[in-house]
Amino acid sequence: MDFRPTSDQQALRATARRFLAARFPRDRLRRTVDADAAAGADDRLDRGLWRALGEAGFFSLRLPEKEGGAGLGMPEAVLVFEEAGRALVPGPMAATHVAAGLVPGAADGAAVVTALDGPGVVEHLASADAVLLTGGPTVHVLPAGRGPRPAPDLPTTVPLRPLDPTTPLHRIPGPLPGDAGQRLTGTDAQQLRLHATLLTAAQQLGSAARTLDMAVEHARNRKQFGRPIGAFQAVQHVCSRMLARTDLARSGVYAASVTMTVSEVSAAKLLADEAAVRNARDCLQLHGGMGFSWEADVHLHLKRAWVRREQWQPPAQAEELLALALLDDGGIAPRNV
Amino acid sequence: MDFRPTSDQQALRATARRFLAARFPRDRLRRTVDADAAAGADDRLDRGLWRALGEAGFFSLRLPEKEGGAGLGMPEAVLVFEEAGRALVPGPMAATHVAAGLVPGAADGAAVVTALDGPGVVEHLASADAVLLTGGPTVHVLPAGRGPRPAPDLPTTVPLRPLDPTTPLHRIPGPLPGDAGQRLTGTDAQQLRLHATLLTAAQQLGSAARTLDMAVEHARNRKQFGRPIGAFQAVQHVCSRMLARTDLARSGVYAASVTMTVSEVSAAKLLADEAAVRNARDCLQLHGGMGFSWEADVHLHLKRAWVRREQWQPPAQAEELLALALLDDGGIAPRNV
Amino acid sequence: MDLTDTEDERDFRLRLRDWLRRTLPTLPPPPPAHDWPARRAYDCGWQRALYDAGYAGLHWPTEAGGHGATPAVHLIFLEETERAGAPYVGANFVGLLHAGPTIAAEGTPAQRARWLPAILRGDEVWCQGFSEPEAGSDLAALRTWAVREDDTYVVTGSKIWTSHAEVADWCELLVRTDSAAPRHKGISWLAMPMSAPGVTVRPLRTLAGSTEFAELVLDRVSVPVGHRVGEENDGWRVSMVTLSFERGTAFAGEVVACRRTLADMARTARDNGRWDDSSLRRRLGRLNAQFTALWRMTQWHACAGDAPRTGAAAVSGSVFKLLYSHARQELYDTAADLLGPAALDAGHPWTAARLSSLSYTIAAGTSQIQQNIIAERGLGLPKGR
Amino acid sequence: MDLTDTEDERDFRLRLRDWLRRTLPTLPPPPPAHDWPARRAYDCGWQRALYDAGYAGLHWPTEAGGHGATPAVHLIFLEETERAGAPYVGANFVGLLHAGPTIAAEGTPAQRARWLPAILRGDEVWCQGFSEPEAGSDLAALRTWAVREDDTYVVTGSKIWTSHAEVADWCELLVRTDSAAPRHKGISWLAMPMSAPGVTVRPLRTLAGSTEFAELVLDRVSVPVGHRVGEENDGWRVSMVTLSFERGTAFAGEVVACRRTLADMARTARDNGRWDDSSLRRRLGRLNAQFTALWRMTQWHACAGDAPRTGAAAVSGSVFKLLYSHARQELYDTAADLLGPAALDAGHPWTAARLSSLSYTIAAGTSQIQQNIIAERGLGLPKGR
């Protein structure tokens, strides 16, 4: 047993971070935010960025090498998705990743694939080429496209005024017809959901780690009452709890990427959702009035964390599943041998 | 409208505090604790104290003057019960108070009356002269007495090893026969439960106020790292939240004593339970190792608060009732005219 | 302890209710959220209607142009107007709740005559220039300075988080008039005309996407010395006299509104099926207890309004704000869980309220500052380190 | 990232499991909770059995009499013994987890030879004399002092919260040997024989009613200078070398036990009808997530055991303790809500555990202290005020 990332894994993470710093730096994020906010409901996911993410392997890295992938596993995918969460990369990252190898163009980022997981909301519908329907026992796929009815095969699509400015959403009220779209044969729907859930958790983890860094940086530099606010115990303790929450979520997310059991993935999502939302709230509170302004990034983390919390197993579902797992001895019985 | 206690009410509270300081000072409490802990399950409620409480009007103050009472109302009863909670007076105070005028001897403290409110536990059964059965649509009363079967008319009574050393408990598993005991005609069971619930909330409030005082006193005097611990922001903020919690509970308890609506009494109990339990926990934490010792009083407040939380409408019941009240507009519609 | 209306209070309540029933239907439709001049006109129209009906400055002293009503009567006013769905105080917030009371308490007779009637009639709108970018929670660290030249203060600096700046006539301004004095000394309180040359207003966008706040940039703005309220260098005390003036009841209307929202939430949950989830139901029940008690606490503070403010009583405003701001955030977090994915619609009023509620634990003293105040002034703990 | 056993680890696990299966049934029945001599005998018997089977000092260095096992193997040992329901380390806690490792790291060869084998064999029991009544969280404020007289330290003072003092042979003692030096200097580490004249042991009763702790009163107790480990006045550093030694994994067995308790709670809820309450179910689910992740964090710390301890990694023990102590309290609060009135029975094991869990956020550094450590050492925030 060696739970720590290998040196290859650490190098992969560092590469992902460097790639995102170059290809999606902060000013790029802010331009996206302002453009999207100005456009309103008009969806304009950056396809150049998407293709670059595809070329960098964000979607294909788990595909076998003969299918153009890197033959890596979920631990590696989780590490790079953590970096994507930290950089607040917009778009249906998890859906496109799990669609790689199933939907043409997903692996290399030529196609934007979004997903509808049960009744609820679907992100970036107007920019998408395809919609995965993952709420049922089998996975189906629908074509999607631009225009007033971005997914003509869906019964109703109601555009929302998006809470997170870089995540346009449509609401799909009510259940879908069971025969909607084309069935993807040979695909394990539960496995696909598990993967997407964990990749979403990894993004939440990255966001939580980033708001922790932002809070600590601010606490070191912002002076009030003649000293850095980080010298006040109230501020110190908030930062300490942010770190503890992030570390707990990280343990959960990394372990789930290794074991991929249903209950560990739920634990990972639950803890990462909580870390992302609460860290963003704490970061905002520590920034005071500045944190409440549009120009600060912290609200972007909070809003994205709120969106991801509702995607791929919201907390209430995760908690119910984790409770049930206790009755089955949920991973407590010896497993290692 | 003048929500503040009148000068008569303030004088009554001051009298109650003086009476308890003289009749049930701290060393008396500690002797009771040690004697009860030594005796184990053997119940020995102090009947001298009980009669003194009766003579001082703790049980009779709401009875009409012609029945030997003071003709006062629930606001006055709440103020003196707050003092009893502060002093940690042992015994079934609320049950004996609501039995005054219904059960002979309750009003003047000659009789100890305990209660069983639905299936659950009953306190001081072996010391009691009578047991009120208040869980049904009508109120019934049973004789009680000493010995191995302290309440022969109850189906089963299981003595517990009491969590709070001064509150011996018996568990009564399962529902009672509907015809148990003697029915008290002319008694409104719901009113009686409301009164007992609010009086219990008042005791919780007094306990919360007391542990706040203890915490503040300790924070002023205890020195660590060369200064009083009350100069540390972490300690200051814990104390501030204790005060806020206590004030909120006080607003709820006092208002309920005036309006006596079902939902305000539930709100009072819920907030006072929370204030009593959480203040005791915070007080214990601030006392460090000292707080964990038997000699400190803080554990007595915590344990009594835990017991009272289960009595007369535990939080889950109060919350469900308060939720339902929202659907009926729960006190939000204009009422004053 | 008494929570029922006296005969006078009942008469006032019935008369007010009757007036609201007759008056509210005659109001024009509320203006769009981002049209500030229209909002000013709407808010001032409502203030003028209150003035004409004898409800303006209800609890201000008569010598300040008010009616000298008791705090209880004032609370009835706040309660009934909110229940009836009357307009908010809006653009007149600073004039009625802070600058006005400050002038009433500390101004000269001439200053009162100049400014108070216009506030009460809704003729002039005030904004507040206290906060600065570098002086957030540490208000006394403010740097905007005034140099006295004959009968004029020449003011330079910047202020932040100023509401209604675009449409205000006056700004109550704290400036440093003695840079050598200790932090809390050397500050003066000035009434600055917003039309003065050198005043630039820049809108500030909040995370909710709205522009209700602005930044003021002041470049050698001349303010006559006669516009100073209180003594030179005594402005900190002057502003504090009323900073806690209304803390106990400033949120009275909001608490009434939150209780109505909570009942709406319960009905929504019943209709959308979430009511079957006991964990959601119990959160709603808990919030009901909290907001019921917060309303009772508001009544308590109103009744204790003129009691000596020592010990814990002196910090009751801080206690209330600490509790209320967190309860309000919890309310809208619960609304989001109740709505599920529908809460991701920024157009939903509960989602908009959820965003704006994030400022409640920050503005007008963060929760951290409130807890310092409670600990040191209310509980007598040693000065924090 | 790998969480599966290597071949060696699997062999070790299977061999241990087999040994436990054969050995545990041969143990005598556990002694009554309050019979300390019997408990000592029981705990030392178990330690002797471990020693004979080659499991004592598993991860101690071989030169200290250990087996030099990897942290991962040690963690397997903790996990399997807990799962099998083996006895706890009990009376040997201080010897095996603190005094022993301190002597191994800082003692002379002669000191190691004198004390370590007896610890590993379960022949000698140690207790800890660090805390003092006036020096709680502020451990360095300790006042117990030692005066050197020739080859002897004469020690006077008192210590508190000492476990197993009644049955211990030795006490690892921090004393002040230079009262003029700054707080953290001037402290020395001594091994004090508990049989020495002048040592008085007074039982301390906890709020749980138990007497597992004692107060030590030391009245001119002679300790040979040769019983000092490390240099004179260097005792603070000596004790800190190992105070965080095991923090990352010290609670490994407890986490395994908490996960078993949690599964028991779920079954109890299913049997007593409380399972129908979604709010309780969801709390159980949440605790499952927390304890699953705490177990994974324990494994992480074990694997990172010999990594450089800088930045956040240096405070991983504090992070774990902060999270675990609160999760444990939440676990038993949830158990109480699950039991309802039955939780008011002090005889119920979950109620007893609820009471003892109250000390977890206090002992060995309060949660407040842990948060200071994380902020200053882990996050590099300025020294707190």
Side-chain angles (χ1 to χ4, degrees):
Chain A
M1 176 183 85
D2 191 348
F3 191 8
R4 289 171 299 172
T6 62
S7 55
D8 281 354
Q9 288 168 339
Q10 288 176 35
L12 177 69
R13 169 162 53 187
T15 305
R17 188 176 295 197
R18 273 195 309 272
F19 168 81
L20 291 168
R23 197 64 185 74
F24 193 70
R26 178 173 188 268
D27 65 324
R28 180 71 175 264
L29 167 67
R30 295 306 312 203
R31 279 207 305 277
T32 308
V33 168
D34 293 335
D36 285 4
D42 195 12
D43 194 347
R44 43 172 82 184
L45 188 67
D46 179 348
R47 293 200 156 246
L49 174 64
W50 208 250
R51 261 186 302 270
L53 290 166
E55 282 157 24
F58 277 79
F59 308 130
S60 63
L61 90 174
R62 288 193 305 118
L63 288 183
E65 293 186 32
K66 64 177 175 352
E67 296 177 35
L72 297 171
M74 278 303 283
E76 287 80 10
V78 152
L79 290 173
V80 303
F81 269 65
E82 183 181 344
E83 293 303 319
R86 173 181 274 275
L88 274 180
V89 175
M93 298 277 298
T96 300
H97 180 105
V98 297
L102 301 177
V103 176
D108 61 3
V112 173
V113 184
T114 188
L116 176 63
D117 186 44
V121 294
V122 54
E123 64 170 291
H124 286 284
L125 183 58
S127 290
D129 299 293
V131 186
L132 292 181
L133 307 180
T134 61
T138 52
V139 182
H140 294 236
V141 65
L142 280 181
R146 317 287 131 56
R149 290 218 54 200
D153 293 357
L154 287 177
T156 337
T157 54
V158 186
L160 304 185
R161 213 177 109 195
L163 173 62
D164 170 22
T166 58
T167 309
L169 294 172
H170 280 75
R171 206 149 73 85
I172 318 292
L176 297 180
D179 59 353
Q182 177 202 339
R183 178 170 167 191
L184 288 173
T185 49
T187 306
D188 182 331
Q190 198 199 7
Q191 279 300 311
L192 185 145
R193 276 196 299 268
L194 272 187
H195 288 135
T197 302
L198 184 59
L199 292 170
T200 306
Q203 288 170 282
Q204 295 284 58
L205 171 62
S207 173
R210 179 78 187 104
T211 50
L212 166 61
D213 288 350
M214 287 160 60
V216 170
E217 172 86 3
H218 182 74
R220 282 197 195 121
N221 295 322
R222 169 78 167 169
K223 286 204 172 113
Q224 296 270 273
F225 305 100
R227 65 182 76 137
I229 62 169
F232 289 96
Q233 219 177 20
V235 173
Q236 294 195 331
H237 287 194
V238 169
C239 292
S240 301
R241 290 192 294 269
M242 290 174 79
L243 171 66
R245 208 180 278 145
T246 311
D247 275 7
L248 190 69
R250 179 171 285 119
S251 298
V253 169
Y254 288 5
S257 79
V258 175
T259 68
M260 284 307 290
T261 63
V262 172
S263 68
E264 290 216 56
V265 169
S266 294
K269 180 66 165 43
L270 182 69
L271 297 172
D273 281 343
E274 182 170 314
V277 170
R278 292 186 57 188
N279 277 15
R281 293 281 295 251
D282 283 348
C283 181
L284 197 156
Q285 178 71 22
L286 291 187
H287 275 73
M290 294 182 198
F292 194 65
S293 77
W294 183 267
E295 278 64 40
D297 291 348
V298 57
H299 72 101
L300 302 174
H301 281 278
L302 177 58
K303 291 167 177 175
R304 192 76 69 88
W306 275 341
V307 172
R308 286 202 203 96
R309 183 180 182 271
E310 296 302 321
Q311 295 174 326
W312 304 106
Q313 208 176 65
Q317 269 180 38
E319 285 168 348
E320 288 286 7
L321 196 149
L322 283 156
L324 269 177
L326 286 171
L327 290 179
D328 307 334
D329 236 340
I332 292 160
R335 170 199 312 284
N336 300 54
V337 171
Chain B
M1 176 183 88
D2 192 349
F3 191 9
R4 289 169 300 173
T6 62
S7 54
D8 280 357
Q9 288 169 338
Q10 289 177 32
L12 177 69
R13 168 163 53 188
T15 306
R17 188 176 294 195
R18 273 194 309 273
F19 167 82
L20 290 168
R23 197 64 183 75
F24 194 69
R26 176 169 191 271
D27 66 325
R28 180 72 175 265
L29 166 67
R30 294 305 314 203
R31 279 207 307 277
T32 308
V33 168
D34 293 337
D36 285 4
D42 194 9
D43 193 349
R44 43 172 81 184
L45 188 66
D46 179 347
R47 292 200 155 245
L49 173 65
W50 209 249
R51 262 187 302 270
L53 289 166
E55 282 158 24
F58 276 80
F59 308 129
S60 64
L61 90 172
R62 288 192 306 118
L63 288 183
E65 293 186 32
K66 64 177 174 352
E67 295 178 34
L72 297 170
M74 278 304 283
E76 288 80 10
V78 152
L79 291 173
V80 304
F81 269 66
E82 184 182 342
E83 293 303 320
R86 174 181 274 276
L88 275 181
V89 176
M93 298 277 298
T96 300
H97 179 106
V98 297
L102 301 176
V103 175
D108 61 1
V112 173
V113 183
T114 189
L116 176 62
D117 185 42
V121 295
V122 55
E123 65 169 293
H124 287 285
L125 183 60
S127 289
D129 299 293
V131 186
L132 292 181
L133 306 180
T134 61
T138 53
V139 182
H140 294 235
V141 64
L142 282 180
R146 317 289 132 57
R149 291 218 52 202
D153 292 357
L154 287 177
T156 340
T157 55
V158 186
L160 304 185
R161 214 176 109 195
L163 173 63
D164 169 22
T166 58
T167 309
L169 295 172
H170 281 74
R171 204 148 76 85
I172 319 291
L176 296 180
D179 59 352
Q182 178 201 338
R183 176 169 168 192
L184 287 173
T185 50
T187 304
D188 182 332
Q190 197 199 8
Q191 280 298 312
L192 185 144
R193 277 196 299 265
L194 272 187
H195 288 135
T197 302
L198 185 59
L199 293 170
T200 306
Q203 289 170 281
Q204 295 284 59
L205 170 62
S207 173
R210 180 77 188 106
T211 49
L212 167 61
D213 289 351
M214 287 160 60
V216 170
E217 171 86 3
H218 181 74
R220 282 200 196 116
N221 296 321
R222 168 79 167 171
K223 286 204 173 111
Q224 296 269 275
F225 305 100
R227 65 181 76 136
I229 61 169
F232 289 96
Q233 221 178 18
V235 172
Q236 293 194 334
H237 288 195
V238 170
C239 291
S240 300
R241 290 192 295 269
M242 290 173 78
L243 171 65
R245 207 180 279 146
T246 311
D247 275 7
L248 190 70
R250 179 171 285 119
S251 298
V253 169
Y254 287 6
S257 80
V258 175
T259 68
M260 286 307 289
T261 63
V262 173
S263 68
E264 289 216 55
V265 169
S266 294
K269 179 65 165 42
L270 182 68
L271 297 173
D273 281 343
E274 182 169 315
V277 169
R278 292 186 56 187
N279 277 16
R281 292 282 293 253
D282 284 348
C283 182
L284 197 155
Q285 178 72 21
L286 292 187
H287 275 73
M290 294 181 199
F292 194 64
S293 76
W294 183 267
E295 278 64 40
D297 290 350
V298 57
H299 73 100
L300 302 174
H301 281 278
L302 177 58
K303 291 167 177 175
R304 192 76 70 87
W306 276 340
V307 171
R308 286 202 204 95
R309 183 178 182 273
E310 297 302 321
Q311 295 175 326
W312 304 107
Q313 208 176 65
Q317 269 179 39
E319 286 169 348
E320 289 285 8
L321 196 149
L322 283 157
L324 270 176
L326 286 171
L327 291 179
D328 307 334
D329 237 339
I332 292 159
R335 171 198 310 283
N336 301 53
V337 170
Chain C
M1 297 182 204
D2 187 3
L3 285 166
T4 53
D5 288 345
T6 63
E7 203 169 321
D8 284 354
E9 289 164 355
R10 197 180 53 220
D11 288 349
F12 174 84
R13 190 188 292 273
L14 290 175
R15 191 166 58 86
L16 172 60
R17 224 177 252 179
D18 182 53
W19 180 79
L20 288 167
R21 191 158 38 225
R22 284 182 290 107
T23 307
L24 294 182
T26 70
L27 293 184
H34 292 282
D35 185 344
W36 295 103
R39 283 177 64 170
R40 178 195 157 124
Y42 183 81
D43 296 343
C44 289
W46 169 242
Q47 182 61 27
R48 179 58 189 239
L50 289 172
Y51 180 83
D52 290 341
Y55 292 116
L58 204 53
H59 63 308
W60 286 21
T62 47
E63 63 272 25
H67 299 273
T70 64
V73 164
H74 181 226
L75 191 60
I76 290 170
F77 171 80
L78 296 172
E79 183 185 6
E80 292 294 332
T81 47
E82 173 57 42
R83 277 183 178 162
Y88 291 100
V89 63
N92 294 300
F93 184 88
V94 172
L96 286 168
L97 273 83
H98 198 259
T102 301
I103 295 163
E106 298 284 329
T108 63
Q111 289 174 329
R112 289 194 211 167
R114 165 64 192 89
W115 286 309
L116 298 185
I119 290 173
L120 291 174
R121 275 198 311 267
D123 289 345
E124 289 183 346
V125 164
W126 286 67
C127 64
Q128 190 177 65
F130 284 10
S131 292
E132 298 185 8
E134 294 301 309
S137 291
D138 186 11
L139 186 54
L142 62 89
R143 294 179 188 177
T144 295
W145 73 96
V147 178
R148 186 150 170 183
E149 297 179 358
D150 302 323
D151 281 351
T152 302
Y153 289 110
V154 179
V155 181
T156 301
S158 62
K159 294 289 179 178
I160 202 167
W161 301 119
T162 303
S163 312
H164 298 103
E166 295 92 330
V167 295
D169 303 292
W170 295 94
C171 177
E172 58 163 343
L173 196 70
L174 288 182
V175 296
R176 193 160 292 285
T177 36
D178 181 354
S179 58
R183 290 154 39 88
H184 292 82
K185 317 282 177 187
I187 292 172
S188 299
W189 191 106
L190 304 181
M192 176 181 78
M194 289 295 285
S195 58
V199 177
T200 308
V201 175
R202 290 189 189 145
L204 253 184
R205 198 162 175 213
T206 71
L207 56 78
S210 69
T211 51
E212 70 216 69
F213 298 107
E215 189 176 357
L216 301 185
V217 180
L218 310 177
D219 179 17
R220 295 191 50 79
V221 179
S222 291
V223 180
V225 167
H227 286 191
R228 189 192 68 227
V229 170
E231 294 303 307
E232 189 169 275
N233 298 331
D234 196 28
W236 182 261
R237 188 193 63 76
V238 167
S239 68
M240 288 300 138
V241 164
T242 47
L243 202 59
S244 63
F245 192 70
E246 301 262 350
R247 259 195 195 150
T249 52
F251 299 103
E254 291 196 13
V255 172
V256 174
C258 284
R259 297 183 73 191
R260 198 175 43 214
T261 301
L262 193 52
D264 288 346
M265 282 168 53
R267 281 187 291 268
T268 302
R270 189 188 49 193
D271 296 344
N272 80 1
R274 296 281 285 123
W275 187 258
D276 294 337
D277 178 354
S278 81
S279 122
L280 182 84
R281 264 193 333 263
R282 290 178 57 181
R283 281 167 76 187
L284 292 172
R286 226 178 143 268
L287 285 164
N288 189 7
Q290 289 177 288
F291 279 100
T292 300
L294 283 168
W295 172 245
R296 297 310 191 185
M297 188 180 258
T298 303
Q299 291 180 309
W300 180 280
H301 290 163
C303 296
D306 34 16
R309 303 204 141 240
T310 54
V315 296
S316 57
S318 292
V319 169
F320 182 86
K321 182 179 182 270
L322 180 69
L323 290 164
Y324 170 63
S325 56
H326 289 273
R328 187 181 174 93
Q329 292 179 349
E330 222 171 293
L331 177 74
Y332 288 109
D333 282 347
T334 304
D337 276 351
L338 189 159
L339 293 172
L344 303 180
D345 183 353
H348 195 292
W350 294 346
T351 299
R354 187 185 198 196
L355 287 175
S356 71
S357 79
L358 293 170
S359 73
Y360 276 65
T361 47
I362 294 172
T366 63
S367 291
Q368 283 75 23
I369 295 285
Q370 303 301 344
Q371 290 177 80
N372 290 351
I373 293 172
I374 296 167
E376 292 170 17
R377 293 187 221 158
L379 295 171
L381 291 175
K383 181 114 188 73
R385 299 286 292 271
Chain D
M1 297 184 207
D2 186 2
L3 284 165
T4 52
D5 289 345
T6 62
E7 203 169 322
D8 283 355
E9 287 164 357
R10 196 180 55 220
D11 287 350
F12 174 83
R13 191 189 290 275
L14 290 176
R15 190 165 58 86
L16 171 61
R17 223 177 252 179
D18 182 56
W19 180 77
L20 288 166
R21 193 160 36 229
R22 284 182 291 108
T23 308
L24 294 182
T26 69
L27 294 183
H34 292 281
D35 185 345
W36 295 102
R39 283 177 64 171
R40 177 195 157 124
Y42 183 82
D43 295 343
C44 289
W46 169 243
Q47 182 60 28
R48 179 59 190 241
L50 289 173
Y51 180 84
D52 290 341
Y55 292 116
L58 204 53
H59 62 309
W60 286 22
T62 46
E63 62 272 25
H67 299 273
T70 65
V73 164
H74 182 225
L75 192 60
I76 290 170
F77 172 80
L78 295 172
E79 183 186 5
E80 292 295 332
T81 47
E82 174 55 43
R83 277 185 177 159
Y88 292 101
V89 62
N92 295 301
F93 184 87
V94 172
L96 286 168
L97 273 82
H98 199 261
T102 301
I103 294 164
E106 299 283 330
T108 62
Q111 287 174 332
R112 290 194 210 165
R114 165 63 191 87
W115 285 310
L116 298 185
I119 290 173
L120 291 174
R121 275 199 312 266
D123 289 345
E124 290 184 345
V125 164
W126 285 68
C127 63
Q128 189 177 68
F130 283 10
S131 293
E132 297 186 8
E134 293 303 308
S137 292
D138 187 10
L139 186 54
L142 61 89
R143 293 180 189 176
T144 295
W145 73 96
V147 178
R148 184 148 172 184
E149 297 178 359
D150 301 322
D151 283 352
T152 302
Y153 289 110
V154 180
V155 181
T156 302
S158 62
K159 294 288 179 179
I160 204 168
W161 302 118
T162 303
S163 311
H164 298 101
E166 295 91 330
V167 294
D169 303 292
W170 295 94
C171 178
E172 58 164 343
L173 196 70
L174 287 183
V175 296
R176 194 161 291 286
T177 36
D178 180 353
S179 57
R183 289 154 41 88
H184 293 83
K185 317 282 176 186
I187 292 173
S188 300
W189 191 106
L190 305 180
M192 176 182 78
M194 289 296 286
S195 58
V199 177
T200 308
V201 176
R202 289 188 191 148
L204 255 183
R205 199 164 172 210
T206 71
L207 56 77
S210 69
T211 52
E212 71 217 66
F213 299 107
E215 190 176 356
L216 301 185
V217 181
L218 310 177
D219 180 16
R220 295 190 51 79
V221 179
S222 292
V223 179
V225 167
H227 286 191
R228 190 191 70 227
V229 170
E231 294 303 306
E232 189 169 275
N233 297 330
D234 196 27
W236 182 260
R237 188 193 62 76
V238 167
S239 68
M240 288 301 137
V241 165
T242 47
L243 202 59
S244 62
F245 192 70
E246 301 263 351
R247 259 193 194 152
T249 51
F251 297 103
E254 290 196 13
V255 173
V256 173
C258 284
R259 297 184 73 190
R260 197 172 45 212
T261 300
L262 193 51
D264 288 346
M265 282 168 53
R267 282 187 289 268
T268 302
R270 189 187 51 193
D271 296 344
N272 80 1
R274 296 281 286 122
W275 186 259
D276 295 336
D277 178 353
S278 81
S279 123
L280 182 84
R281 265 196 328 265
R282 290 178 57 183
R283 282 167 76 188
L284 291 173
R286 225 178 143 269
L287 285 164
N288 189 8
Q290 290 177 287
F291 279 100
T292 300
L294 283 168
W295 172 246
R296 296 311 190 185
M297 189 180 256
T298 303
Q299 291 180 308
W300 180 280
H301 290 163
C303 297
D306 34 17
R309 302 205 142 241
T310 55
V315 297
S316 57
S318 292
V319 169
F320 182 86
K321 183 180 181 266
L322 180 67
L323 290 164
Y324 170 62
S325 56
H326 289 273
R328 186 180 174 93
Q329 291 178 351
E330 223 171 292
L331 177 74
Y332 287 109
D333 282 347
T334 304
D337 275 351
L338 190 158
L339 293 172
L344 303 179
D345 182 354
H348 196 292
W350 293 347
T351 299
R354 187 186 198 195
L355 288 174
S356 71
S357 79
L358 293 170
S359 73
Y360 276 65
T361 48
I362 295 172
T366 63
S367 291
Q368 283 76 23
I369 296 285
Q370 304 300 344
Q371 290 176 82
N372 291 351
I373 292 172
I374 296 167
E376 293 169 18
R377 291 187 223 162
L379 296 170
L381 291 176
K383 181 117 187 72
R385 298 286 291 272

